[in-house]
Amino acid sequence: MKWGLFGGTFDPVHLGHLRCAEEILELFHLDRIIFIPARVQPLKTDRVISPFHHREQMLKLAIEGNPSFSISDAENRRGGKSYSIETVRHFIDNSPDGTELYFILGQDAFHEIQMWKEWKELARLCNFVVMTRPGYEIKKLADTFPPDLASLFQYDSTADGFRGPTGNSIFFRKLTLLDISSTDIRNRVKANLSIRYLVPDPVRDYIK
Ligand code: ATP
């Protein structure tokens, strides 16, 4: 089994998230993608985030009808700040033996990875798929990881990824660029502007 773990605040989920997830599912022949809304995103504590149940409900509406997409409330059940290392450990313990985990994140998030709890250990525990995002150039691993760590990851041209000491890899993938962000959507809603075609219609109706 190959599972994609897609963490985020999803305040709200938008077509940028959904289209990227769809493309990664195909590119890596994943069996499923699990959207994991954060309870408290440790790096976004400076702003007010919509209550978990609203973000979860919007995700449910957004993925309805896609049998490859599901939602986990693991981070909400765990309580406290939502650290990805704990989430990945949860899925290692709660997936069939031999399941390959692919942690999905945008390039903006990857560039901050050194601020994540136990990030070096996280890079050892699972594969990473780093999605290009408008405004962020594809970078070499060494531009994000300190050189001593980056040197442990060797480029494997067959897989087009950087394979690390535990056999897990970091993949950079250029996907269809959709310059959509939840921040922009929230700003439009506040300004009474349309968000049609930025989020799925049921999510738009829910926000209304
Ligand atoms: P906000 O604007 O509130 O910070 P966001 O739009 O970045 O939110 P998140 O829920 O924080 O959305 O994103 C979850 C993950 O999806 C992050 O790793 C982020 O980099 C990635 N992501 C979000 N939007 C896009 C997009 N349009 N294209 C590619 N990746 C994206």
Side-chain angles (χ1 to χ4, degrees):
M1 294 288 276
K2 292 163 94 176
W3 290 6
L5 305 179
F6 192 178
T9 316
F10 303 116
D11 189 22
V13 59
H14 53 67
L15 295 182
H17 296 127
L18 296 165
R19 181 64 210 168
C20 285
E22 182 75 0
E23 292 188 14
I24 287 171
L25 185 84
E26 279 186 339
L27 270 174
F28 290 90
H29 308 289
L30 303 183
D31 296 288
R32 57 192 298 210
I33 290 192
I34 306 168
F35 290 77
I36 312 165
R39 179 178 180 275
V40 177
Q41 218 281 28
L43 299 178
K44 291 186 183 173
T45 49
D46 55 334
R47 56 161 116 146
V48 178
I49 307 272
S50 304
F52 182 88
H53 69 275
H54 286 315
R55 293 182 285 119
E56 184 187 40
Q57 185 57 30
M58 289 188 282
L59 267 170
K60 279 185 185 158
L61 293 168
I63 68 167
E64 208 162 37
N66 186 338
S68 305
F69 287 180
S70 58
I71 302 168
S72 163
D73 65 354
E75 296 195 341
N76 193 43
R77 273 187 285 117
R78 200 166 61 231
K81 288 186 183 169
S82 306
Y83 294 109
S84 299
I85 183 86
E86 291 168 13
T87 303
V88 168
R89 285 187 177 130
H90 165 84
F91 280 98
I92 289 172
D93 292 343
N94 291 280
S95 56
D97 278 352
T99 302
E100 287 175 40
L101 298 178
Y102 291 73
F103 192 90
I104 301 166
L105 75 174
Q107 208 146 17
D108 52 323
F110 186 69
H111 286 168
E112 298 183 335
I113 198 155
Q114 293 188 51
M115 293 163 71
W116 293 20
K117 183 179 173 189
E118 292 181 56
W119 68 278
K120 289 181 189 168
E121 179 59 15
L122 184 61
R124 295 167 55 86
L125 284 185
C126 63
N127 299 288
F128 272 70
V129 181
V130 184
M131 313 179 279
T132 50
R133 203 169 173 183
Y136 291 84
E137 301 301 316
I138 289 212
K139 291 257 167 97
K140 293 194 199 86
L141 203 52
D143 293 337
T144 301
F145 278 28
D148 57 330
L149 191 69
S151 65
L152 296 176
F153 286 77
Q154 302 300 330
Y155 182 69
D156 170 0
S157 57
T158 317
D160 188 14
F162 294 85
R163 188 178 294 274
T166 57
N168 288 315
S169 297
I170 300 174
F171 303 97
F172 293 89
R173 288 295 179 271
K174 199 170 190 331
L175 308 176
T176 301
L177 296 179
L178 293 171
D179 196 358
I180 304 175
S181 72
S182 303
T183 302
D184 175 62
I185 291 166
R186 291 193 303 275
N187 288 339
R188 284 176 198 270
V189 170
K190 275 185 214 142
N192 223 6
L193 294 170
S194 164
I195 55 166
R196 182 181 274 166
Y197 311 128
L198 294 174
V199 297
D201 282 343
V203 173
R204 185 168 59 103
D205 293 341
Y206 186 87
I207 291 171
K208 265 195 205 155

XYZ file of all heavy atoms in Angstrom, residues 37-42 45 52 55 74-83 86-87 117:
179
model
N -6.418 17.673 8.647
C -6.478 19.058 9.128
C -5.802 19.188 10.485
O -5.984 18.353 11.374
C -7.984 19.359 9.206
C -8.673 18.037 9.170
C -7.746 17.046 8.536
N -4.989 20.239 10.616
C -4.285 20.468 11.884
C -5.271 20.974 12.928
O -6.207 21.717 12.610
C -3.194 21.508 11.671
N -5.053 20.580 14.153
C -5.842 21.175 15.244
C -5.297 22.572 15.503
O -5.999 23.559 15.371
C -5.737 20.299 16.497
C -6.498 20.848 17.685
C -6.379 19.905 18.881
N -7.103 20.430 20.001
C -6.607 21.314 20.862
N -5.362 21.731 20.720
N -7.338 21.754 21.849
N -4.013 22.627 15.832
C -3.312 23.911 15.987
C -2.015 23.807 15.196
O -1.150 22.992 15.517
C -2.966 24.198 17.466
C -2.175 25.506 17.576
C -4.220 24.258 18.317
N -1.892 24.607 14.134
C -0.681 24.589 13.325
C 0.388 25.369 14.109
O 0.234 26.561 14.339
C -0.994 25.286 11.994
C -0.352 24.665 10.794
C 1.104 25.054 10.643
O 1.828 25.351 11.603
N 1.563 25.021 9.425
N 1.465 24.702 14.537
C 2.443 25.355 15.418
C 3.040 26.633 14.833
O 3.436 27.527 15.581
C 3.530 24.295 15.612
C 2.908 22.998 15.236
C 1.831 23.296 14.245
N 0.317 30.232 14.866
C -0.386 30.547 16.114
C -0.657 32.053 16.252
O -1.346 32.476 17.176
C 0.423 30.071 17.347
O 1.758 30.542 17.186
C 0.429 28.569 17.488
N -12.058 23.780 14.277
C -11.735 22.526 13.583
C -12.941 21.950 12.851
O -12.841 21.524 11.706
C -11.183 21.502 14.586
C -10.779 20.218 13.934
C -9.509 20.057 13.415
C -11.674 19.164 13.806
C -9.121 18.886 12.780
C -11.302 17.984 13.166
C -10.021 17.848 12.667
N -13.570 23.444 9.459
C -12.544 23.095 8.458
C -12.704 21.640 8.027
O -12.559 21.304 6.854
C -11.139 23.353 9.037
C -10.898 24.856 9.267
C -9.511 25.165 9.790
N -9.328 24.845 11.184
C -8.459 23.967 11.655
N -7.646 23.349 10.828
N -8.365 23.728 12.943
N -6.962 12.673 13.276
C -5.941 12.248 14.253
C -5.368 13.438 15.022
O -5.133 13.349 16.233
C -4.821 11.492 13.547
N -5.129 14.542 14.326
C -4.481 15.677 15.010
C -5.440 16.327 16.000
O -5.029 16.783 17.066
C -3.941 16.679 13.974
C -2.847 16.035 13.128
C -1.991 17.003 12.319
O -2.416 18.154 12.103
O -0.890 16.581 11.888
N -6.717 16.347 15.668
C -7.683 16.924 16.599
C -7.842 16.030 17.828
O -7.870 16.505 18.965
C -9.034 17.100 15.903
C -9.964 17.977 16.705
O -9.540 18.999 17.230
N -11.215 17.583 16.818
N -7.882 14.720 17.585
C -8.046 13.777 18.712
C -6.842 13.814 19.638
O -6.977 13.643 20.847
C -8.262 12.351 18.185
C -9.731 12.061 17.891
C -9.973 10.607 17.543
N -9.523 10.292 16.197
C -8.558 9.439 15.906
N -7.915 8.797 16.854
N -8.204 9.211 14.654
N -5.658 14.050 19.066
C -4.444 14.043 19.884
C -4.386 15.253 20.814
O -3.793 15.201 21.883
C -3.236 14.030 18.954
C -1.973 13.551 19.603
C -0.908 13.227 18.588
N -0.523 14.361 17.785
C -0.478 14.362 16.454
N -0.790 13.272 15.771
N -0.121 15.440 15.783
N -5.022 16.339 20.405
C -5.011 17.552 21.223
C -3.673 18.264 21.143
O -2.714 17.765 20.536
N -3.594 19.436 21.733
C -2.347 20.209 21.736
C -1.968 20.681 20.339
O -2.788 20.679 19.421
N -0.698 21.072 20.200
C -0.223 21.521 18.896
C -0.068 20.322 17.966
O 0.239 19.219 18.420
C 1.123 22.244 19.037
C 0.976 23.610 19.678
C 2.296 24.359 19.661
C 2.134 25.694 20.367
N 3.417 26.350 20.615
N -0.268 20.565 16.673
C -0.258 19.456 15.708
C 1.125 19.332 15.084
O 1.443 20.069 14.134
C -1.309 19.714 14.631
O -2.559 19.947 15.235
N 1.929 18.438 15.620
C 3.270 18.229 15.082
C 3.246 17.065 14.092
O 2.770 15.968 14.419
C 4.266 17.942 16.208
C 4.469 19.126 17.126
C 3.983 19.129 18.426
C 5.142 20.261 16.672
C 4.175 20.223 19.261
C 5.334 21.359 17.494
C 4.843 21.332 18.788
O 5.025 22.424 19.595
N 4.508 13.545 15.048
C 3.596 12.695 15.816
C 2.531 12.087 14.905
O 2.117 10.941 15.080
C 2.955 13.517 16.947
C 3.992 13.888 18.007
C 3.513 14.927 19.007
O 2.308 15.220 19.066
O 4.383 15.469 19.735
N 2.132 12.856 13.906
C 1.129 12.348 12.965
C 1.709 11.202 12.136
O 1.063 10.169 11.940
C 0.667 13.498 12.041
O 0.176 14.528 12.884
C -0.410 13.048 11.079
N 9.225 20.405 14.529
C 9.693 19.530 15.609
C 10.320 18.252 15.026
O 9.697 17.612 14.155
C 8.490 19.167 16.501
C 8.833 18.330 17.700
C 7.584 18.037 18.520
C 7.901 17.068 19.630
N 6.696 16.593 20.307
